[in-house]
Amino acid sequence: AIKPPYEKQDAENRPLKTNISLKQINTLATPAIIAGISEPILSLTDAAIVGHMPIHATESLAAVGVVTAFLSMLIWVLGQSRSAISSIISQYVGANKLEEVKNLPAQAIAIILGISLVVCGLTYPFSTAIFKLYNASGLLLDYSVSYYKIRIIGLPFTLYTFAVFGVFRGLQNTYYPMLIAITGALVNIVLDFVLVYGIKDLFLPLNLKGAAIASVLSQLLMAVLATHFILKKTEIPLRFSRPFNKEIPQFLNMIGHLIIRTLALNTALYFATRYATGYGNEYIAAYTISINLWFFAAFAVDGYASAGNILSGKLFGAKNYHLLVQLSNRLIKYALIVGVVMGCIGALLYKPIGSTFTNDPMVLETFYDVFWIVLLMQPFCALAFVFDGIFKGLGKMKDLRNVLLLATLFVFLPVLFITDYYGWKLHGVFTAFTLWMIARGIPLVIKFRKQFLPHVQNH
């Protein structure tokens, strides 16, 4: 099995005390950051290349935004298996009882793949009706449907890869997921250029459909690589076997809480996308660029959330509450630094970032008018994402569910509706997102410290 590079073994092959220094946290966080930002690069690449097509570039860019919003909902809802698997395995690693859950990943993957195939079968024939719900019509609706009918083929591959990433995280390893994600992102970029623009004297440009095909092929490649590394580099089997592991009920319970939580998250994304689409094509195009850049920054910070997920689960399993509190304090500091740095980079490259995605002057004007809000929210996002990761590692999915439900119902939606009434348009959308992130992060910090500080003070 994988032995983390930072963790030495004693004479009886038991892990020694977990190290949570900056160097050791970065051993986990840096590959996770690289792997994380590779995920939104798939959509960012589609947006950047499609936004410069000679024919219907704005409508195509808007279609990428609408479809990405819906696909993100499906992936985030069903992809929660990664966090659940990681949480269970990391706690068993901390308790030095990994052997007891070796057959869990294969069973969990089988369940998730079965659900994903059902989702594909149900959404494919109703794609027109789905995107009408996002206010898409005319050419935008046609492009959204054709793009989605190809992209949905990659959903099972993505969910499978996510589940395997969860296994690696539980084993305290983020290196192989990084290799897989980098390879997938690079291949996607090459295929995007080739398939969208075509090759002279070989085949014609496929335009928006070419971007969709490039994404699916990249997702397939990542699934193949994930299979290779999990079988060659670990002792975790992928062959489904009975009886079900004793942790399957806990896995399903975690998944249930995370699905409800993610539905709340995607309720916010749905209404944001719906309102942006309703304001006009230049607004949904600008929103597409902004939200994908937000996802990119979020996944960059998510590297520290991943470290929190991995290490908190292990420390919790080992009942090492003192180090757990230390870990949370350090991750807050590191994540805030990353959030501020991301905001500063965005500010320095404010104009070039917009022109990377489109030449449409109306889209650029709309984008520049709101992008500063995306940059300002980065430190708040960092705080919320880190504690999301910590709570997932602890297996406290119910707390995550409740916080996000309350933040969506009583912060995001009221702010969005009020600002829309007063005509704020995208300013209102991203103001709602900012307050939503604050409402997600602060309660988790308070709850964590309330629960674990007494353990430290009593010892």
Side-chain angles (χ1 to χ4, degrees):
I2 291 175
K3 290 175 180 163
Y6 60 85
E7 184 175 73
K8 296 181 180 179
Q9 311 289 315
D10 67 12
E12 297 180 13
N13 201 37
R14 293 175 304 188
L16 298 175
K17 184 178 179 180
T18 302
N19 192 329
I20 58 165
S21 66
L22 173 59
K23 179 181 178 181
Q24 307 308 338
I25 288 174
N26 281 335
T27 299
L28 291 172
T30 302
I33 289 172
I34 296 170
I37 62 177
S38 297
E39 292 174 19
I41 280 176
L42 289 166
S43 295
L44 279 171
T45 303
D46 283 359
I49 293 177
V50 164
H52 287 285
M53 291 191 319
I55 302 174
H56 301 304
T58 299
E59 290 82 0
S60 297
L61 178 58
V64 170
V66 172
V67 173
T68 298
F70 182 66
L71 269 178
S72 295
M73 181 194 72
L74 295 180
I75 291 170
W76 289 348
V77 167
L78 299 175
Q80 297 306 318
S81 58
R82 173 171 61 180
S83 297
I85 292 172
S86 174
S87 174
I88 293 171
I89 291 181
S90 64
Q91 290 183 32
Y92 272 80
V93 167
N96 202 28
K97 297 178 180 179
L98 180 60
E99 195 68 30
E100 296 181 16
V101 289
K102 273 191 174 181
N103 66 336
L104 174 68
Q107 295 171 353
I109 288 170
I111 293 170
I112 292 300
L113 286 180
I115 295 173
S116 72
L117 293 175
V118 171
V119 170
C120 290
L122 290 176
T123 60
Y124 187 91
F126 298 106
S127 52
T128 299
I130 289 169
F131 295 113
K132 282 183 178 178
L133 292 174
Y134 283 83
N135 269 345
S137 60
L139 189 59
L140 172 57
L141 178 61
D142 293 339
Y143 279 178
S144 297
V145 171
S146 63
Y147 182 67
Y148 176 75
K149 285 187 173 180
I150 299 172
R151 281 294 306 270
I152 189 62
I153 297 170
L155 179 65
F157 303 134
T158 297
L159 296 178
Y160 171 82
T161 303
F162 271 30
V164 173
F165 282 8
V167 177
F168 278 117
R169 284 187 180 187
L171 294 171
Q172 319 289 287
N173 186 292
T174 54
Y175 177 72
Y176 293 115
M178 177 191 71
L179 292 182
I180 296 166
I182 288 175
T183 304
L186 292 176
V187 169
N188 182 69
I189 291 170
V190 173
L191 290 176
D192 255 336
F193 276 104
V194 171
L195 297 178
V196 170
Y197 296 129
I199 298 178
K200 189 176 181 180
D201 299 328
L202 286 180
F203 62 86
L204 296 173
L206 296 178
N207 299 317
L208 185 60
K209 289 183 178 179
I213 293 170
S215 295
V216 172
L217 291 176
S218 301
Q219 290 163 325
L220 172 60
L221 173 63
M222 290 170 68
V224 172
L225 291 174
T227 303
H228 168 77
F229 283 117
I230 200 73
L231 293 178
K232 295 293 184 181
K233 303 298 182 179
T234 80
E235 295 176 1
I236 301 295
L238 288 180
R239 179 176 294 178
F240 180 86
S241 62
R242 298 282 299 274
F244 281 108
N245 189 277
K246 63 181 180 179
E247 289 293 342
I248 282 291
Q250 174 68 356
F251 169 77
L252 294 175
N253 182 54
M254 288 182 179
I255 290 290
H257 289 313
L258 288 173
I259 284 177
I260 295 171
R261 171 186 180 273
T262 310
L263 287 172
L265 185 154
N266 282 285
T267 296
L269 289 174
Y270 163 73
F271 276 99
T273 305
R274 189 179 192 279
Y275 274 62
T277 305
Y279 298 143
N281 282 348
E282 67 270 22
Y283 286 94
I284 183 57
Y287 170 82
T288 297
I289 299 169
S290 300
I291 202 69
N292 276 296
L293 288 169
W294 182 53
F295 291 156
F296 179 86
F299 277 108
V301 175
D302 194 54
Y304 286 98
S306 297
N309 180 310
I310 293 164
L311 293 174
S312 65
K314 183 178 181 183
L315 293 170
F316 188 61
K319 296 181 170 37
N320 194 335
Y321 304 124
H322 181 74
L323 275 183
L324 182 58
V325 172
Q326 284 189 28
L327 172 70
S328 72
N329 292 336
R330 291 179 183 180
L331 286 176
I332 289 174
K333 181 172 68 176
Y334 304 152
L336 287 176
I337 291 171
V338 173
V340 170
V341 169
M342 294 297 292
C344 291
I345 291 173
L348 290 172
L349 301 175
Y350 204 87
K351 293 291 183 179
I353 286 174
S355 58
T356 300
F357 292 92
T358 182
N359 295 322
D360 189 314
M362 292 182 66
V363 175
L364 285 172
E365 181 182 354
T366 307
F367 168 73
Y368 293 140
D369 200 33
V370 297
F371 185 47
W372 61 271
I373 306 177
V374 177
L375 300 179
L376 282 181
M377 76 166 79
Q378 291 309 308
F380 304 116
C381 294
L383 187 68
F385 294 147
V386 161
F387 273 85
D388 272 357
I390 290 174
F391 272 71
K392 286 176 181 176
L394 299 174
K396 296 184 178 297
M397 313 308 186
K398 185 177 180 180
D399 292 330
L400 292 173
R401 179 201 69 185
N402 292 341
V403 167
L404 196 56
L405 276 172
L406 293 172
T408 301
L409 294 176
F410 296 106
V411 178
F412 183 87
L413 292 179
V415 172
L416 181 67
F417 297 155
I418 291 169
T419 54
D420 174 70
Y421 177 80
Y422 285 104
W424 287 24
K425 296 186 176 178
L426 288 190
H427 286 95
V429 171
F430 286 104
T431 298
F433 272 129
T434 302
L435 296 176
W436 183 60
M437 294 306 302
I438 294 172
R440 286 175 55 183
I442 300 300
L444 292 179
V445 175
I446 294 171
K447 189 169 186 64
F448 176 87
R449 298 183 75 81
K450 184 178 179 180
Q451 180 170 352
F452 291 104
L453 278 181
H455 287 288
V456 175
Q457 293 166 353
N458 292 336
H459 292 82

